[in-house]
Amino acid sequence: MSASAASAEPRSAKPTAQRPHMPGYGVRGPDEGSGLLPWSWAVQRLESARNFWLCTVRPDGRPHAMPVWGAWDGEALLFSSSAPSRKILNLRANPQVVVTTEGAEEPVVIEGRAEILTDRRDLQRFIDLVNSKYATRYRVDFLDPEVNATVAVRPQQAFGLAQGDFTGSPTRWSFGH
């Protein structure tokens, strides 16, 4: 399914925010401390992060984590990898993934479902985002689906917290699907 087709599915325009359940950490109520972080706070970090950690599950159940370059397209984190790579083999078997920004001080953690994109418009959109973000000059043929898999991870849930307000900023966003 292409990103264009997937975006036709009903989605919340904005995710709902709430405090995550974090027993034993002294997390304050949603109106205390910094309060619930707006989704725009997370988007800013998704757009500016240079690297992301992708966590998948091997077919035998063991975890697998690898860094990837990625680009936020407004509704999904996009990345690519060699089609026979361990991460792609893992997500073909189990598309449930976790992707995090590289910095632990103000993290954004996405829990979502990975989808391999093959529509030429989706591949061009990703290449345009990557070339702009990383100052590269890749051409769309670099993303030949026979060689490289281009992946979209749309959040089902996301988590973030602001440095300096550990107990008053934790926020979980839910996307209603």
Side-chain angles (χ1 to χ4, degrees):
M1 176 177 6
S2 75
S4 303
S7 63
E9 295 175 6
R11 293 179 45 85
S12 298
K14 286 183 107 175
T16 57
Q18 62 186 39
R19 281 284 190 246
H21 181 64
M22 295 173 61
Y25 285 96
V27 173
R28 299 193 239 167
D31 296 325
E32 299 177 87
S34 301
L36 296 173
L37 298 170
W39 178 240
S40 60
W41 179 94
V43 167
Q44 179 185 23
R45 281 144 188 85
L46 291 168
E47 290 175 343
S48 65
R50 179 165 179 82
N51 302 297
F52 297 86
W53 286 101
L54 171 70
C55 303
T56 61
V57 179
R58 296 172 193 261
D60 66 5
R62 292 180 297 138
H64 182 260
M66 290 299 291
V68 296
W69 275 6
W72 179 253
D73 80 345
E75 68 175 49
L77 184 76
L78 307 176
F79 69 92
S80 68
S81 183
S82 171
S85 69
R86 171 51 45 205
K87 58 185 146 307
I88 299 301
L89 294 174
N90 290 348
L91 69 81
R92 285 185 193 275
N94 180 351
Q96 295 299 120
V97 299
V98 172
V99 183
T100 72
T101 53
E102 62 192 336
E105 297 81 21
E106 292 195 332
V108 176
V109 179
I110 294 173
E111 298 174 9
R113 186 173 185 85
E115 169 190 5
I116 296 178
L117 306 176
T118 57
D119 183 272
R120 179 113 177 148
R121 291 170 300 179
D122 297 331
L123 302 180
Q124 186 64 59
R125 170 81 174 133
F126 175 59
I127 279 293
D128 292 345
L129 289 168
V130 165
N131 286 340
S132 175
K133 181 175 183 175
Y134 296 100
T136 53
R137 292 186 177 154
Y138 297 129
R139 295 174 10 152
V140 74
D141 58 344
F142 174 75
L143 298 177
D144 177 353
E146 297 296 318
V147 179
N148 287 302
T150 302
V151 179
V153 177
R154 287 176 183 74
Q156 295 168 330
Q157 291 190 77
F159 170 86
L161 65 89
Q163 180 178 6
D165 193 7
F166 182 82
T167 61
S169 69
T171 304
R172 178 170 308 283
W173 297 278
S174 297
F175 291 81
H177 58 273

